[in-house]
Amino acid sequence: MENKNFVIIGGSSGIGLAITHQLAEQSHDVFIGSRTAENIPVMNNVHHFQFDALSDDVPLDKLPESLHGLVYCPGTINLRPFRQLKDDDFLMDFRINLLDAVKVIQQVFNQLKKAPETGSIVLFSTVAVQTGMAFHASIASAKGAVEGLTRSLAAELAPKIRVNCIAPSLTNTPMAERLLATAEKQKATAERHPLKRFGQPADIANLACFLLNDESSWITGQVLHVDGGMSSVKMF
Ligand SMILES: NC(=O)c1ccc[n+]([C@@H]2O[C@H](COP(=O)([O-])OP(=O)(O)OC[C@H]3O[C@@H](n4cnc5c(N)ncnc54)[C@H](OP(=O)(O)O)[C@@H]3O)[C@@H](O)[C@H]2O)c1
């Protein structure tokens, strides 16, 4: 298999870390931008650069000249009753989920364009965009914008760069820790899903890696649901 270069913003934890493991085990070079680095595997083909999406520009001197793919993982789960949500909650969710993703894509655009074949961008939405869920007004609004960005960019960047988005349901990562903190919460969450379990990082990473690789070379502009059936299956 050809060795490729991928940037994973937020490859230090949860889904991004699972993607990092899979790509690194396939011998690809993985460049992780994140604020922390302690969980990142120590491997010759895994490289870390210090990066806070809220304040930093991507340090292009730490990246190779051409990139085959980019994954943007930073996100939020800010669940509150609508009446408690302030402007700042909406603005922060919009900023980290959408605007900082836009900034990163713009900054690594030239590297993605230089990929010998098609480049691939993978973004993250949530099941709560397609399926209305209480207390998700802020995050669902921000991720809805990510879905719009996905389709728009897929049109604009075709055929050179593919752009797709994954919409997971609740997945066992540090971000979701509070929602899965007890055995009762875990059982109730599993029960709500048609497939009777909540997600694991590898469930989502499997699709992300497929979207980054050439097996998905005829797929762009898609929002793909990895959600145990939550968004489309009704159990009677
Ligand atoms: N887990 C779920 O249940 C779930 C459900 C639906 C959608 N999603 C979406 O899936 C994506 C991945 O979530 P996850 O659960 O894997 O989250 P996670 O475990 O919290 O990981 C988030 C990653 O993003 C990085 N990050 C966060 N803020 C950053 C910033 N300001 N600058 C740079 N890096 C930053 C973190 O690294 P550092 O802390 O080291 O900076 C970490 O590597 C998110 O977009 C999330 O909204 C998750």
Side-chain angles (χ1 to χ4, degrees), residues 85-193:
L85 285 167
K86 308 275 186 273
D87 278 6
D88 282 349
D89 294 308
F90 280 92
L91 288 171
M92 181 47 90
D93 280 348
F94 197 73
R95 184 161 173 211
I96 190 78
N97 285 284
L98 183 88
L99 294 180
D100 292 329
V102 167
K103 175 180 80 175
V104 168
I105 294 167
Q106 287 180 334
Q107 291 182 351
V108 302
F109 186 70
N110 284 337
Q111 275 84 350
L112 282 168
K113 250 183 19 193
K114 281 187 202 145
E117 313 91 21
T118 316
S120 172
I121 297 174
V122 176
L123 302 173
F124 285 97
S125 179
T126 162
V127 66
V129 172
Q130 169 158 331
T131 305
M133 293 181 175
F135 310 134
H136 284 67
S138 176
I139 184 61
S141 304
K143 293 295 201 184
V146 173
E147 294 191 7
L149 176 73
T150 300
R151 296 191 184 97
S152 233
L153 278 187
E156 194 167 330
L157 305 185
K160 186 60 197 157
I161 301 174
R162 299 182 295 111
V163 188
N164 293 289
C165 180
I166 301 177
S169 184
L170 200 60
T171 302
N172 189 13
T173 70
M175 186 182 291
E177 205 169 22
R178 206 171 40 81
L179 302 171
L180 295 170
T182 64
E184 290 74 31
K185 285 183 178 178
Q186 292 183 11
K187 188 162 180 278
T189 304
E191 273 307 308
R192 273 201 306 277
H193 289 82

Side-chain angles (χ1 to χ4, degrees), residues 194 229-236:
M230 183 74 113
S231 61
S232 54
V233 175
K234 191 163 175 72
M235 308 297 280
F236 291 100

Side-chain angles (χ1 to χ4, degrees), residues 10 12-13 15 35-36 51-53 73 125 143 170-171 173-175:
S12 60
S13 165
I15 294 166
R35 297 163 302 178
T36 66
F51 181 68
D52 185 340
C73 298
S125 179
K143 293 295 201 184
L170 200 60
T171 302
T173 70
M175 186 182 291

